[in-house]
Amino acid sequence: MTEVIGKCGISAKIVLDSVSAVTGDRLTTMEITYPRFILAEFNTHRMFSRNSASSRAIPFAKMQENLTAVPVRFGQANKGMQDTGVDYTMVVKHPETCYPLTPQEAWQTAGKSVQQWSEAFHQAGFHKQIFNRLIESHQMMKTVVSATEWANFFWLRDDGAADPSIAELARCMKEALAQSVPQELQAGQWHLPYLETQTATNGEKIYIIEFPEDAGDPVCVSLEDAIKVSCARACAVSFRNTDYGLEKSVEVYERLISDSKIHGSALEHAAKVMQPYTHEWANPNAVTTKRVNDKEKSRTWEEGISHVDRNGNLWSGNFRGFLQHRKTIKGECYGTK
């Protein structure tokens, strides 16, 4: 499993990497770790499917374990959005004592202060969606992100004009993507993060959700259950937990799709390769034809295809060449029929 470790705890790990044998499109799922203070900038990139650790979901004690976020660079003030490009070593005076601190010491002191106030809210009985917000500035985030389109993100963020912390994240992600070798998937085969897929001697796929620690036989499941496990484990990143078993995964999956308001983001990472365009006679004497994925006739599209672009590429949501599982769920988006 390819992983690139960067500065200040920032990292990018390939969870699953697949390429379509039909179109050559590549779908990659990564698990990234980075300071929460760049989450807003990361979320502006709309071609990404993502699930992130949630301040409303993670218990206070577990949240405290991740308060190690620090800027990659303490830059000197400058006009505009960029600093001067070098670390600034001027001391920072404590706002109450005027005691001089290095930038790193001042950042840590500020973190301890908000942590103390967060603890006070916690002890008073307030919900974690209140007091966990106070410590977000020092929290390290975990996000699972899947995409077929990465170029624009790297073009904008792996750049000297970007915030140094998100530039470091982009560098790690780009390097991990370059080092990874994708598996080739045929039409109809699935990209399923957080479980293992093997090919049997007869060519059928075997879906493995766990290997027992006692060296017993691996736990294999059907494709239907494998999809549920993959979606549930992607969802579990919100709780910084991705080791759900079958029973827990099915429970979580059913909650995601059974509520009156479907929570579909975790269903985007599981996807299958689109079928190639086919144009076949229904029978030798027929004058009608059976077509599949004719870009000019939407009625021939597989369930889950959402649109075609001006270059004739078929898309499913923000994935090109792969069908998002989410797009096959009725009511996955308010206002859809």
Side-chain angles (χ1 to χ4, degrees):
M1 186 176 293
T2 303
E3 183 173 16
V4 175
I5 307 295
K7 300 176 183 177
C8 301
I10 294 172
S11 66
K13 177 173 66 177
I14 303 294
V15 177
L16 188 62
D17 197 4
S18 305
V19 62
S20 167
V22 177
T23 63
D25 293 311
R26 182 180 180 184
L27 172 59
T28 309
T29 299
M30 294 189 197
E31 197 172 274
I32 56 177
T33 303
Y34 57 97
R36 191 183 183 99
F37 54 71
I38 59 172
L39 175 62
E41 285 81 0
F42 184 78
N43 281 347
T44 63
H45 296 274
R46 295 176 293 173
M47 297 305 288
F48 292 167
S49 292
R50 50 188 165 248
N51 287 91
S52 298
S54 170
S55 293
R56 299 180 64 203
I58 300 176
F60 180 70
K62 184 176 288 188
M63 183 72 85
Q64 285 185 307
E65 298 173 0
N66 303 298
L67 302 182
T68 59
V70 61
V72 166
R73 183 171 70 229
F74 287 90
Q76 185 179 11
N78 194 29
K79 291 183 178 180
M81 295 176 64
Q82 289 83 43
D83 59 30
T84 57
V86 295
D87 277 310
Y88 191 48
T89 57
M90 181 63 71
V91 298
V92 180
K93 292 184 179 180
H94 193 286
E96 295 180 354
T97 66
C98 292
Y99 187 83
L101 301 168
T102 67
Q104 293 77 10
E105 290 172 338
W107 183 267
Q108 293 175 355
T109 301
K112 291 177 181 178
S113 178
V114 293
Q115 187 174 353
Q116 289 171 348
W117 279 109
S118 182
E119 175 73 32
F121 273 96
H122 173 56
Q123 293 298 333
F126 289 89
H127 191 275
K128 55 183 175 290
Q129 70 181 5
I130 300 298
F131 55 77
N132 275 347
R133 301 299 188 191
L134 285 171
I135 50 181
E136 286 182 348
S137 59
H138 288 69
Q139 178 195 351
M140 289 298 287
M141 280 286 292
K142 180 178 285 188
T143 294
V144 55
V145 53
S146 299
T148 59
E149 316 303 310
W150 301 93
N152 184 253
F153 173 75
F154 294 140
W155 181 61
L156 289 172
R157 301 302 185 178
D158 184 24
D159 186 86
D163 180 290
S165 296
I166 200 169
E168 177 66 4
L169 174 63
R171 183 193 68 79
C172 292
M173 294 171 68
K174 187 176 182 179
E175 187 174 332
L177 194 65
Q179 292 179 11
S180 180
V181 178
Q183 63 172 341
E184 185 178 69
L185 297 180
Q186 303 298 319
Q189 291 184 334
W190 283 82
H191 173 94
L192 295 174
Y194 295 114
L195 53 85
E196 183 169 328
T197 304
Q198 296 181 354
T199 303
T201 54
N202 61 0
E204 293 184 358
K205 291 294 182 181
I206 301 173
Y207 304 98
I208 303 171
I209 62 171
E210 61 182 293
F211 291 89
E213 294 181 358
D214 60 2
D217 293 334
V219 179
C220 303
V221 296
S222 65
L223 173 59
E224 180 182 2
D225 284 339
I227 294 171
K228 294 178 180 179
V229 171
S230 180
C231 294
R233 288 178 174 177
C235 175
V237 171
S238 297
F239 303 90
R240 299 186 71 91
N241 186 355
T242 57
D243 60 353
Y244 286 172
L246 178 58
E247 183 176 353
K248 180 66 173 179
S249 294
V250 172
E251 176 189 340
V252 170
Y253 180 87
E254 293 301 325
R255 286 207 307 266
L256 292 174
I257 68 168
S258 299
D259 192 7
S260 59
K261 296 181 180 180
I262 291 176
H263 299 272
S265 62
L267 279 60
E268 295 182 16
H269 307 278
K272 68 176 180 179
V273 176
M274 292 181 186
Q275 297 289 335
Y277 166 69
T278 58
H279 181 187
E280 301 175 350
W281 293 101
N283 63 69
N285 299 319
V287 294
T288 59
T289 60
K290 177 183 178 182
R291 296 181 180 178
V292 177
N293 290 349
D294 184 339
K295 62 185 178 183
E296 298 180 356
K297 299 185 182 299
S298 60
R299 66 176 182 272
T300 70
W301 295 354
E302 291 178 87
E303 182 183 13
I305 293 179
S306 57
H307 63 284
V308 61
D309 64 25
R310 65 190 303 162
N311 296 317
N313 299 304
L314 293 174
W315 292 73
S316 180
N318 50 300
F319 289 175
R320 180 175 56 178
F322 285 80
L323 287 166
Q324 281 186 358
H325 179 56
R326 173 177 183 162
K327 291 301 178 183
T328 67
I329 304 297
K330 185 177 181 180
E332 53 87 19
C333 179
Y334 176 75
T336 59
K337 297 182 179 179

